[in-house]
Amino acid sequence: MYRDSSASALKNESLYPTSMLDMIDYAYHIESRDGIDNVSDIDGEAKTEDIEVRMDLTDDLLHMVFSFLNHMDLCRAALVCKQWRVASTHEDFWKCLNFENRNISIEQFEDMCRRYPKAAEVNITGASAIHLLVMKAVSLLRYLETLTLGKGQLGDTFFYALSECNLLKSLNVTDATLGNGIQEIPINHDRLRHLQLIKCRVMRISVRCPQLETLSLKRSNMAQAQLSCPLLRDLDIGSCHKLSDAAIRSAAISCPLLESLDMSNCSCVSDETLREIALTCANLHVLNASYCPNISLESVRLPMLTVLKLDNCEGITSASMAAISHSYMLEVLELDNCSLLTSVSLDLPRLQNIRLVHCRKFADLNLRTLMLSSIMVSNCGALHRINITSNSLQKLALQKQESLTTLALQCQSLQEVDLTACESLTDSICEVFNDGGGCPLLKSLVLDNCESLTTVRFCSTSLVSLSLSECRGITTLDLTCPNLQQVCLDGCDHLEKAHFCPVGLGSLNLGICPKLSELTIEAPKMVLLELKGCGVLAEASINCPLLTSLDASFCSRLRDDCLSATATSCPLIESLILMSCPSVGSDGLYSLCWLPHLTMLDLSYTFLTNLVPVFESCLHLKVLKLQACKYLTDSSLEPLYMHGALPSLRELDLSYGPFSQSAIEELLSCCTHLTHVSLNGCINMHDLNWGFPGDISLSSSASCVNEVSESNNSLELPELPNRLLQNLNCVGCPNIRKVFIPLLARCYHLSSLNLSLSNNLKEVDIACSNLCLLNLSNCCSLETLRLECPKLTSLFLQSCNITEEALEAAVSRCMTLETLDVRYCPQISSVSMGRLRAACPSLKRIFSSLSPP
């Protein structure tokens, strides 16, 4: 285990390191102490400790590792051991001395400069007394290349001494007062390449740097800037509000090699100055003249420009486009907030990016530029015509252009178009995006909230996605788009005629089109079709050979001939929902024989009088829903329990049906293969008594059998098949008074029983080995509850009148019960909770409307 002598000494030293500078001083304090110890024969123990904590790393490896550390981490590393202390002070790690916003004293700074005389970069921005500090740097650091300072005052002597830094290449001064603010400040240096005087306070400045390449005077308040920089390429005088037009002109034309000029927010700049600059600076590529209200570019020719920014220039009008059109090398053009601009017509072969935002009078855009790749047009309320020719544009977004009526595109690479809320667009827009319309590669088109569209017809082999959300004016939709995979029609509630021939859709939802009356679909890939709510749909031709699910709920006018044609052309349908389709009759149901894979059929709320067509045509049916089929009779169910019809049937819903008690009893007794049965709201159902398997109506016989079986084990009952029933729902059956399901009923798979809202139910006696959930909520007449359900986990008795004793006795036989709901049970008091938990220790949750005692 290593011991850190320096760390141990740290506790006893008065110089405790609390910052980077303190750590540096502390490290050197320890080094000085160790230097004394090394020449002393007395302190051999200290040398032993240093040897003991020396890490087994070569100096070269340690040097490489330390090269990834910042100064603060190097100072911490110096406290580990002598080897690390020596390695951390190597001059390679201290070529950049950064004391930005640090309270460093002159003595500390001078000490650092003497320790690392080969430092090439110094930053003392925000330090106190920056003038004294920088004078130390100039005098002590002969290899200085980059100097950054600011937030203070720099005296004249600094600028005169600057020439002593022979290797200086970059000088950055920010938010500082230069000199006394009155006299001219000279900056003379033979090797300086980059100079920044940002947000500086000075009256006049003179820059004579023959090697200078970039100069920024941004946001400084000088009134005069005299430049002698023949190699200057980048000049930024943005927001120099006190510079006159003549001063700007003089500064710019003195730099004949200028390539980039930023004069934004220089409100006095004139066209004359721009003309002089254009004549002198033949290589000017980038010009930012934003917020210059006096320029109009009249007679200005800048042929080599690649970037031109004219944001918020009040003088820029449509006439200015003549000057811009001569900049044939232009790649980027910004014209945001040019309030007098009414039209833009440009033919620039290299233009790639254009911006037109908040141009309130802008009405006409005409661009012919083959390399255009990005266009931003936004909040131009008067814009009504756009004509774009480009071979590079891939995405076009023109959202909320309320006045746009004409759009012409010749864009060979365009793939995405968003015209959301372009309320004035008419049906003619479809021609732009059809095959042959100028956008051969278009994949995605968004026309949401285009309320003027009425008849939409697209014929495109490239279109993949189409959105017409909230286009409430559309009445006719005709799509011939074989590769269309997604279409959104939300809010198209006035659509009357729709034709999809052909399309590549995998699914389609037309249920949100309640006025749809005519439909044609040819979709070879479609698997799911939803027509739910198309109440006036009378004619439908559906040719989808891969369709597996069709929901035609509430299609009240859907006739047998339409159903027959659909069954013939869509042979793979597995799920068919015809709920509330009163026009469907026997002929239509017989045609279902063409659907050999049909497993789910919903005929709820129809006017069927018999089920023979279903039994003869749907031989493999697994789910049959017949809710509220009030014209069916008991004889309709006879083929199920007498002749074994639909042998694969597993789920049957007869809720709110007119069937008698005897028919229901026969069905439950004989159809033992059913797993899910719903009898909700069956008013003719009186009791659920399965006292004797094979004849559930003989409750007295069931009691006798129970007594005999208990007294004489030799009596053998006939072997009957086990019931596969798993879920039984008898919600809201007002005439049920008794439910008796003993073990002899062989309901070994029953796991959920719902008898809620059965107001007259008084007695419940259930013995089911796998029952997990029992719902008796709102059975307000319940008096007797006997349970032999070892796996019951949830029991709901909300608003039941059961007594505390009966409930305690019932739950005591349910050893795995976890959830009990006794809210609004008038005979269950808050004191009962403890007794219930004692009777059934497995209880985890008891829901009660009573406050605890």
Side-chain angles (χ1 to χ4, degrees), residues 371-405:
M371 298 186 67
L372 185 68
S373 59
S374 175
I375 177 172
M376 170 60 73
V377 178
S378 178
N379 296 102
C380 299
L383 182 62
H384 66 269
R385 193 175 78 90
I386 295 178
N387 190 337
I388 300 175
T389 300
S390 170
N391 287 340
S392 302
L393 188 63
Q394 296 185 5
K395 186 175 182 179
L396 177 63
L398 299 170
Q399 299 175 353
K400 296 184 179 180
Q401 301 303 318
E402 294 88 351
S403 301
L404 184 64
T405 57

mmCIF file of all heavy atoms in Angstrom, residues 371-405:
data_model
loop_
_atom_site.group_PDB
_atom_site.id
_atom_site.type_symbol
_atom_site.label_atom_id
_atom_site.label_comp_id
_atom_site.label_asym_id
_atom_site.label_seq_id
_atom_site.Cartn_x
_atom_site.Cartn_y
_atom_site.Cartn_z
ATOM 1 N N MET A 371 -28.564 24.612 -58.546
ATOM 2 C CA MET A 371 -27.889 24.079 -57.363
ATOM 3 C C MET A 371 -28.620 24.405 -56.066
ATOM 4 O O MET A 371 -28.111 24.122 -54.987
ATOM 5 C CB MET A 371 -26.451 24.601 -57.302
ATOM 6 C CG MET A 371 -25.592 24.169 -58.473
ATOM 7 S SD MET A 371 -23.859 24.655 -58.306
ATOM 8 C CE MET A 371 -23.352 23.655 -56.923
ATOM 9 N N LEU A 372 -29.786 25.018 -56.154
ATOM 10 C CA LEU A 372 -30.533 25.385 -54.947
ATOM 11 C C LEU A 372 -30.860 24.139 -54.120
ATOM 12 O O LEU A 372 -31.477 23.201 -54.609
ATOM 13 C CB LEU A 372 -31.823 26.100 -55.330
ATOM 14 C CG LEU A 372 -32.643 26.656 -54.156
ATOM 15 C CD1 LEU A 372 -31.907 27.805 -53.485
ATOM 16 C CD2 LEU A 372 -34.014 27.112 -54.635
ATOM 17 N N SER A 373 -30.443 24.160 -52.847
ATOM 18 C CA SER A 373 -30.666 23.010 -51.967
ATOM 19 C C SER A 373 -31.473 23.362 -50.727
ATOM 20 O O SER A 373 -31.972 22.475 -50.039
ATOM 21 C CB SER A 373 -29.332 22.386 -51.542
ATOM 22 O OG SER A 373 -28.529 23.339 -50.868
ATOM 23 N N SER A 374 -31.614 24.655 -50.422
ATOM 24 C CA SER A 374 -32.358 25.046 -49.228
ATOM 25 C C SER A 374 -33.055 26.380 -49.483
ATOM 26 O O SER A 374 -32.444 27.321 -49.973
ATOM 27 C CB SER A 374 -31.420 25.169 -48.025
ATOM 28 O OG SER A 374 -32.109 25.661 -46.889
ATOM 29 N N ILE A 375 -34.339 26.436 -49.135
ATOM 30 C CA ILE A 375 -35.108 27.674 -49.270
ATOM 31 C C ILE A 375 -35.980 27.829 -48.040
ATOM 32 O O ILE A 375 -36.654 26.898 -47.616
ATOM 33 C CB ILE A 375 -35.955 27.668 -50.558
ATOM 34 C CG1 ILE A 375 -36.809 28.940 -50.636
ATOM 35 C CG2 ILE A 375 -36.814 26.425 -50.662
ATOM 36 C CD1 ILE A 375 -37.517 29.100 -51.964
ATOM 37 N N MET A 376 -35.939 29.016 -47.446
ATOM 38 C CA MET A 376 -36.761 29.321 -46.286
ATOM 39 C C MET A 376 -37.641 30.519 -46.620
ATOM 40 O O MET A 376 -37.160 31.635 -46.770
ATOM 41 C CB MET A 376 -35.887 29.627 -45.065
ATOM 42 C CG MET A 376 -36.658 30.179 -43.872
ATOM 43 S SD MET A 376 -37.951 29.083 -43.242
ATOM 44 C CE MET A 376 -36.940 27.848 -42.455
ATOM 45 N N VAL A 377 -38.933 30.260 -46.755
ATOM 46 C CA VAL A 377 -39.908 31.312 -46.999
ATOM 47 C C VAL A 377 -40.966 31.193 -45.908
ATOM 48 O O VAL A 377 -41.637 30.163 -45.798
ATOM 49 C CB VAL A 377 -40.549 31.175 -48.390
ATOM 50 C CG1 VAL A 377 -41.602 32.262 -48.588
ATOM 51 C CG2 VAL A 377 -39.493 31.267 -49.479
ATOM 52 N N SER A 378 -41.099 32.231 -45.100
ATOM 53 C CA SER A 378 -42.002 32.146 -43.958
ATOM 54 C C SER A 378 -42.562 33.526 -43.634
ATOM 55 O O SER A 378 -41.870 34.533 -43.755
ATOM 56 C CB SER A 378 -41.259 31.583 -42.739
ATOM 57 O OG SER A 378 -42.083 31.540 -41.609
ATOM 58 N N ASN A 379 -43.843 33.534 -43.217
ATOM 59 C CA ASN A 379 -44.516 34.756 -42.784
ATOM 60 C C ASN A 379 -44.469 35.865 -43.831
ATOM 61 O O ASN A 379 -44.222 37.030 -43.517
ATOM 62 C CB ASN A 379 -43.908 35.251 -41.467
ATOM 63 C CG ASN A 379 -44.122 34.286 -40.327
ATOM 64 O OD1 ASN A 379 -43.222 33.548 -39.957
ATOM 65 N ND2 ASN A 379 -45.326 34.262 -39.764
ATOM 66 N N CYS A 380 -44.662 35.464 -45.066
ATOM 67 C CA CYS A 380 -44.792 36.437 -46.156
ATOM 68 C C CYS A 380 -46.265 36.437 -46.561
ATOM 69 O O CYS A 380 -46.685 35.683 -47.450
ATOM 70 C CB CYS A 380 -43.878 36.072 -47.323
ATOM 71 S SG CYS A 380 -42.114 36.064 -46.891
ATOM 72 N N GLY A 381 -47.056 37.258 -45.891
ATOM 73 C CA GLY A 381 -48.498 37.193 -46.016
ATOM 74 C C GLY A 381 -49.038 37.524 -47.392
ATOM 75 O O GLY A 381 -50.151 37.116 -47.734
ATOM 76 N N ALA A 382 -48.278 38.271 -48.210
ATOM 77 C CA ALA A 382 -48.770 38.667 -49.528
ATOM 78 C C ALA A 382 -48.303 37.727 -50.646
ATOM 79 O O ALA A 382 -48.701 37.898 -51.804
ATOM 80 C CB ALA A 382 -48.314 40.094 -49.835
ATOM 81 N N LEU A 383 -47.482 36.754 -50.319
ATOM 82 C CA LEU A 383 -46.916 35.873 -51.350
ATOM 83 C C LEU A 383 -48.023 35.039 -52.003
ATOM 84 O O LEU A 383 -48.725 34.293 -51.323
ATOM 85 C CB LEU A 383 -45.864 34.956 -50.721
ATOM 86 C CG LEU A 383 -45.146 33.995 -51.666
ATOM 87 C CD1 LEU A 383 -44.361 34.754 -52.726
ATOM 88 C CD2 LEU A 383 -44.218 33.075 -50.882
ATOM 89 N N HIS A 384 -48.143 35.164 -53.334
ATOM 90 C CA HIS A 384 -49.184 34.406 -54.021
ATOM 91 C C HIS A 384 -48.662 33.568 -55.181
ATOM 92 O O HIS A 384 -49.390 32.736 -55.711
ATOM 93 C CB HIS A 384 -50.287 35.343 -54.534
ATOM 94 C CG HIS A 384 -49.826 36.286 -55.610
ATOM 95 N ND1 HIS A 384 -49.337 37.549 -55.321
ATOM 96 C CD2 HIS A 384 -49.755 36.156 -56.959
ATOM 97 C CE1 HIS A 384 -49.013 38.158 -56.452
ATOM 98 N NE2 HIS A 384 -49.247 37.330 -57.455
ATOM 99 N N ARG A 385 -47.397 33.764 -55.582
ATOM 100 C CA ARG A 385 -46.892 32.979 -56.715
ATOM 101 C C ARG A 385 -45.446 32.568 -56.467
ATOM 102 O O ARG A 385 -44.621 33.391 -56.058
ATOM 103 C CB ARG A 385 -46.984 33.777 -58.006
ATOM 104 C CG ARG A 385 -46.784 32.919 -59.259
ATOM 105 C CD ARG A 385 -46.999 33.747 -60.516
ATOM 106 N NE ARG A 385 -45.832 34.566 -60.798
ATOM 107 C CZ ARG A 385 -44.807 34.145 -61.555
ATOM 108 N NH1 ARG A 385 -44.806 32.941 -62.074
ATOM 109 N NH2 ARG A 385 -43.787 34.938 -61.772
ATOM 110 N N ILE A 386 -45.149 31.293 -56.709
ATOM 111 C CA ILE A 386 -43.788 30.770 -56.561
ATOM 112 C C ILE A 386 -43.470 29.908 -57.778
ATOM 113 O O ILE A 386 -44.254 29.035 -58.165
ATOM 114 C CB ILE A 386 -43.639 29.932 -55.271
ATOM 115 C CG1 ILE A 386 -43.825 30.812 -54.035
ATOM 116 C CG2 ILE A 386 -42.281 29.248 -55.223
ATOM 117 C CD1 ILE A 386 -43.735 30.047 -52.733
ATOM 118 N N ASN A 387 -42.305 30.168 -58.346
ATOM 119 C CA ASN A 387 -41.818 29.386 -59.484
ATOM 120 C C ASN A 387 -40.358 29.043 -59.215
ATOM 121 O O ASN A 387 -39.514 29.933 -59.121
ATOM 122 C CB ASN A 387 -41.957 30.191 -60.783
ATOM 123 C CG ASN A 387 -41.689 29.329 -62.007
ATOM 124 O OD1 ASN A 387 -41.021 28.305 -61.927
ATOM 125 N ND2 ASN A 387 -42.198 29.743 -63.156
ATOM 126 N N ILE A 388 -40.071 27.760 -59.069
ATOM 127 C CA ILE A 388 -38.713 27.335 -58.703
ATOM 128 C C ILE A 388 -38.239 26.279 -59.686
ATOM 129 O O ILE A 388 -38.952 25.296 -59.947
ATOM 130 C CB ILE A 388 -38.676 26.770 -57.269
ATOM 131 C CG1 ILE A 388 -39.122 27.821 -56.258
ATOM 132 C CG2 ILE A 388 -37.269 26.287 -56.920
ATOM 133 C CD1 ILE A 388 -39.221 27.301 -54.838
ATOM 134 N N THR A 389 -37.028 26.479 -60.185
ATOM 135 C CA THR A 389 -36.362 25.479 -61.016
ATOM 136 C C THR A 389 -35.035 25.130 -60.367
ATOM 137 O O THR A 389 -34.193 26.001 -60.145
ATOM 138 C CB THR A 389 -36.115 26.016 -62.439
ATOM 139 O OG1 THR A 389 -37.365 26.354 -63.033
ATOM 140 C CG2 THR A 389 -35.419 24.965 -63.293
ATOM 141 N N SER A 390 -34.863 23.860 -60.019
ATOM 142 C CA SER A 390 -33.643 23.429 -59.342
ATOM 143 C C SER A 390 -33.456 21.932 -59.535
ATOM 144 O O SER A 390 -34.431 21.176 -59.545
ATOM 145 C CB SER A 390 -33.699 23.751 -57.843
ATOM 146 O OG SER A 390 -32.637 23.139 -57.150
ATOM 147 N N ASN A 391 -32.205 21.525 -59.648
ATOM 148 C CA ASN A 391 -31.882 20.098 -59.746
ATOM 149 C C ASN A 391 -31.377 19.529 -58.429
ATOM 150 O O ASN A 391 -31.111 18.332 -58.342
ATOM 151 C CB ASN A 391 -30.826 19.869 -60.833
ATOM 152 C CG ASN A 391 -31.398 20.024 -62.230
ATOM 153 O OD1 ASN A 391 -32.605 19.937 -62.419
ATOM 154 N ND2 ASN A 391 -30.531 20.274 -63.197
ATOM 155 N N SER A 392 -31.199 20.390 -57.417
ATOM 156 C CA SER A 392 -30.609 19.943 -56.153
ATOM 157 C C SER A 392 -31.577 20.008 -54.979
ATOM 158 O O SER A 392 -31.341 19.372 -53.958
ATOM 159 C CB SER A 392 -29.367 20.794 -55.830
ATOM 160 O OG SER A 392 -28.409 20.704 -56.864
ATOM 161 N N LEU A 393 -32.657 20.767 -55.093
ATOM 162 C CA LEU A 393 -33.586 20.932 -53.978
ATOM 163 C C LEU A 393 -34.276 19.606 -53.655
ATOM 164 O O LEU A 393 -34.890 18.989 -54.527
ATOM 165 C CB LEU A 393 -34.624 21.995 -54.325
ATOM 166 C CG LEU A 393 -35.557 22.429 -53.199
ATOM 167 C CD1 LEU A 393 -34.773 23.085 -52.074
ATOM 168 C CD2 LEU A 393 -36.642 23.366 -53.717
ATOM 169 N N GLN A 394 -34.177 19.179 -52.390
ATOM 170 C CA GLN A 394 -34.774 17.913 -51.959
ATOM 171 C C GLN A 394 -35.949 18.109 -51.005
ATOM 172 O O GLN A 394 -36.808 17.231 -50.896
ATOM 173 C CB GLN A 394 -33.724 17.024 -51.291
ATOM 174 C CG GLN A 394 -32.607 16.598 -52.226
ATOM 175 C CD GLN A 394 -31.657 15.611 -51.560
ATOM 176 O OE1 GLN A 394 -31.864 15.174 -50.439
ATOM 177 N NE2 GLN A 394 -30.602 15.261 -52.268
ATOM 178 N N LYS A 395 -35.992 19.249 -50.313
ATOM 179 C CA LYS A 395 -37.047 19.476 -49.339
ATOM 180 C C LYS A 395 -37.548 20.904 -49.467
ATOM 181 O O LYS A 395 -36.764 21.848 -49.500
ATOM 182 C CB LYS A 395 -36.529 19.219 -47.915
ATOM 183 C CG LYS A 395 -37.595 19.302 -46.847
ATOM 184 C CD LYS A 395 -37.033 18.916 -45.486
ATOM 185 C CE LYS A 395 -38.119 18.952 -44.409
ATOM 186 N NZ LYS A 395 -37.594 18.546 -43.081
ATOM 187 N N LEU A 396 -38.869 21.070 -49.514
ATOM 188 C CA LEU A 396 -39.478 22.389 -49.660
ATOM 189 C C LEU A 396 -40.596 22.528 -48.634
ATOM 190 O O LEU A 396 -41.530 21.732 -48.597
ATOM 191 C CB LEU A 396 -40.034 22.562 -51.073
ATOM 192 C CG LEU A 396 -40.765 23.880 -51.360
ATOM 193 C CD1 LEU A 396 -39.808 25.060 -51.207
ATOM 194 C CD2 LEU A 396 -41.381 23.864 -52.746
ATOM 195 N N ALA A 397 -40.475 23.533 -47.764
ATOM 196 C CA ALA A 397 -41.489 23.794 -46.737
ATOM 197 C C ALA A 397 -41.992 25.220 -46.910
ATOM 198 O O ALA A 397 -41.230 26.178 -46.810
ATOM 199 C CB ALA A 397 -40.897 23.606 -45.335
ATOM 200 N N LEU A 398 -43.284 25.354 -47.192
ATOM 201 C CA LEU A 398 -43.910 26.660 -47.403
ATOM 202 C C LEU A 398 -45.154 26.760 -46.527
ATOM 203 O O LEU A 398 -46.246 27.027 -46.994
ATOM 204 C CB LEU A 398 -44.281 26.843 -48.880
ATOM 205 C CG LEU A 398 -43.121 26.798 -49.876
ATOM 206 C CD1 LEU A 398 -43.640 26.752 -51.295
ATOM 207 C CD2 LEU A 398 -42.214 28.016 -49.698
ATOM 208 N N GLN A 399 -44.985 26.543 -45.259
ATOM 209 C CA GLN A 399 -46.115 26.480 -44.339
ATOM 210 C C GLN A 399 -46.721 27.866 -44.105
ATOM 211 O O GLN A 399 -46.034 28.872 -44.069
ATOM 212 C CB GLN A 399 -45.676 25.876 -43.012
ATOM 213 C CG GLN A 399 -45.142 24.460 -43.128
ATOM 214 C CD GLN A 399 -44.600 23.931 -41.812
ATOM 215 O OE1 GLN A 399 -44.506 24.652 -40.839
ATOM 216 N NE2 GLN A 399 -44.252 22.658 -41.788
ATOM 217 N N LYS A 400 -48.053 27.884 -43.951
ATOM 218 C CA LYS A 400 -48.821 29.071 -43.570
ATOM 219 C C LYS A 400 -48.645 30.235 -44.530
ATOM 220 O O LYS A 400 -48.596 31.395 -44.107
ATOM 221 C CB LYS A 400 -48.437 29.503 -42.142
ATOM 222 C CG LYS A 400 -48.798 28.471 -41.089
ATOM 223 C CD LYS A 400 -48.499 28.968 -39.689
ATOM 224 C CE LYS A 400 -48.887 27.923 -38.661
ATOM 225 N NZ LYS A 400 -48.607 28.366 -37.271
ATOM 226 N N GLN A 401 -48.540 29.948 -45.814
ATOM 227 C CA GLN A 401 -48.563 31.007 -46.825
ATOM 228 C C GLN A 401 -50.013 31.144 -47.302
ATOM 229 O O GLN A 401 -50.429 30.564 -48.299
ATOM 230 C CB GLN A 401 -47.614 30.656 -47.972
ATOM 231 C CG GLN A 401 -46.160 30.463 -47.554
ATOM 232 C CD GLN A 401 -45.590 31.690 -46.857
ATOM 233 O OE1 GLN A 401 -45.820 32.821 -47.275
ATOM 234 N NE2 GLN A 401 -44.848 31.466 -45.785
ATOM 235 N N GLU A 402 -50.781 31.919 -46.546
ATOM 236 C CA GLU A 402 -52.227 31.962 -46.736
ATOM 237 C C GLU A 402 -52.642 32.476 -48.106
ATOM 238 O O GLU A 402 -53.726 32.136 -48.603
ATOM 239 C CB GLU A 402 -52.872 32.825 -45.649
ATOM 240 C CG GLU A 402 -52.767 32.261 -44.242
ATOM 241 C CD GLU A 402 -51.486 32.699 -43.535
ATOM 242 O OE1 GLU A 402 -50.627 33.286 -44.229
ATOM 243 O OE2 GLU A 402 -51.362 32.461 -42.326
ATOM 244 N N SER A 403 -51.809 33.301 -48.754
ATOM 245 C CA SER A 403 -52.191 33.902 -50.033
ATOM 246 C C SER A 403 -51.672 33.122 -51.239
ATOM 247 O O SER A 403 -51.964 33.493 -52.383
ATOM 248 C CB SER A 403 -51.689 35.351 -50.098
ATOM 249 O OG SER A 403 -52.225 36.127 -49.048
ATOM 250 N N LEU A 404 -50.898 32.080 -51.016
ATOM 251 C CA LEU A 404 -50.288 31.346 -52.120
ATOM 252 C C LEU A 404 -51.359 30.640 -52.951
ATOM 253 O O LEU A 404 -52.103 29.804 -52.455
ATOM 254 C CB LEU A 404 -49.286 30.332 -51.577
ATOM 255 C CG LEU A 404 -48.484 29.552 -52.619
ATOM 256 C CD1 LEU A 404 -47.597 30.480 -53.439
ATOM 257 C CD2 LEU A 404 -47.632 28.472 -51.943
ATOM 258 N N THR A 405 -51.406 31.006 -54.245
ATOM 259 C CA THR A 405 -52.378 30.390 -55.141
ATOM 260 C C THR A 405 -51.721 29.637 -56.290
ATOM 261 O O THR A 405 -52.318 28.704 -56.843
ATOM 262 C CB THR A 405 -53.304 31.464 -55.736
ATOM 263 O OG1 THR A 405 -52.506 32.447 -56.425
ATOM 264 C CG2 THR A 405 -54.112 32.143 -54.653
#
